[in-house]
Amino acid sequence: MKRIIIFASGSGTNAENIIKYFQERKNAEVTHVFSNNLRAKVLKRAHDLKVKALHFDKESFYGSNDVLNVLKDAEPDIIVLAGFLWIFPKKIIDVFPDKVINIHPALLPKYGGKGMYGNHVHEAVIRNREKESGITIHFVNEHYDEGGIIFQAETAISEKDTAEDLAKAIHTLEYKYFPVVIEKVLGLRDEI
C-alpha cells in the first residue's frame, strides 16, 4: 500500500477529491493532511474522511526539524501539494527527492511564481486575453513553480469567460487529472 501525504493551505477541495479517489482503491491511501493554516477547511475535510489532520507553524516547518521528523516517521511514497502556499524547504525536498509534487492552475512556465495562486492566476490570464489556460503538475524544488513538469492539461478560454468561469474549468481539470497523475508517479498506472 503506497502512502500519500497532502499539504494544503485552504479549503481543500483537491485534497478531498484525492482522499476519496484513493479510498475507493486498494493500492494507495492518504495517511496525513498537513496545513499551515489552523482555520483551513482542509483540516475538517480530512478529519471527516478519517485522515490524520495536522497543523504546523513557520518555526516547525522552517526553523526546526519538527515537520521533517513527522514526515520521516510517516514514510510517504509521495508528498502532494494541493493548494499549499508556502515555499517547500530544501531540507525536506532533499530527504524526499522526486517525491514532492505540486499542482498549479496555469500552463507553466506562464503565470507561475510567488503570489501566483488561485484567483490571482485566473485574473491575470483573463486580463491578458489568453486563448487557453490549464493545469500543470510538476515536481517541487526550492523555487516556486520551477520544478520539472510531469503533466499538463489545457482548456480553451472564450472572450466572454470571466476569472470565475476559468476557475471552474481549471477545477474540473484538477479533479479529473490530479489523482491519476499521482497514481502514475507512484508507478500504479501506465497511462494518464
Side-chain angles (χ1 to χ4, degrees):
M1 179 76 84
K2 301 283 189 177
R3 299 167 63 81
I4 302 164
I5 290 180
I6 297 175
F7 279 73
S9 296
S11 93
T13 56
N14 262 314
E16 180 177 353
N17 182 56
I18 293 164
I19 293 165
K20 287 179 174 177
Y21 180 90
F22 286 103
Q23 283 178 340
E24 294 174 4
R25 281 148 186 82
K26 302 291 180 232
N27 53 9
E29 66 177 339
V30 176
T31 61
H32 299 73
V33 170
F34 285 73
S35 184
N36 58 321
N37 178 357
L38 191 55
R39 290 186 238 0
K41 288 183 186 166
V42 71
L43 295 171
K44 181 175 185 335
R45 288 181 198 271
H47 183 265
D48 290 348
L49 291 165
K50 311 285 188 266
V51 173
K52 287 181 191 165
L54 304 167
H55 168 259
F56 61 91
D57 60 17
K58 271 199 168 133
E59 172 58 27
S60 60
F61 196 50
Y62 296 113
S64 74
N65 286 329
D66 293 349
V67 172
L68 175 59
N69 290 335
V70 173
L71 288 171
K72 283 179 179 175
D73 289 345
E75 299 180 330
D77 294 287
I78 194 168
I79 298 169
V80 174
L81 311 190
F84 184 68
L85 301 182
W86 288 358
I87 194 121
F88 226 64
K90 187 173 184 320
K91 64 184 175 185
I92 296 178
I93 296 166
D94 288 346
V95 173
F96 299 98
D98 298 326
K99 288 188 175 182
V100 185
I101 69 170
N102 180 49
I103 191 162
H104 186 74
L107 297 172
L108 292 174
K110 286 182 160 185
Y111 303 102
K114 187 168 174 56
M116 288 306 257
Y117 62 90
N119 278 335
H120 299 288
V121 174
H122 307 316
E123 288 164 3
V125 168
I126 295 295
R127 193 169 46 248
N128 290 328
R129 301 180 201 272
E130 297 284 356
K131 300 284 187 246
E132 64 182 17
S133 189
I135 61 168
T136 303
I137 299 168
H138 63 92
F139 288 108
V140 172
N141 63 20
E142 60 270 24
H143 305 288
Y144 281 115
D145 304 323
E146 290 183 13
I149 292 173
I150 301 164
F151 176 83
Q152 291 185 308
E154 300 165 4
T155 185
I157 303 171
S158 80
E159 290 181 13
K160 294 180 285 205
D161 282 342
T162 64
E164 291 75 27
D165 296 327
L166 179 55
K168 286 179 189 163
I170 295 297
H171 280 303
T172 299
L173 292 176
E174 290 173 340
Y175 300 156
K176 178 179 179 180
Y177 288 111
F178 207 7
V180 295
V181 171
I182 292 167
E183 275 186 317
K184 177 115 170 75
V185 173
L186 287 170
L188 302 173
R189 165 185 287 268
D190 294 328
E191 300 293 320
I192 294 176

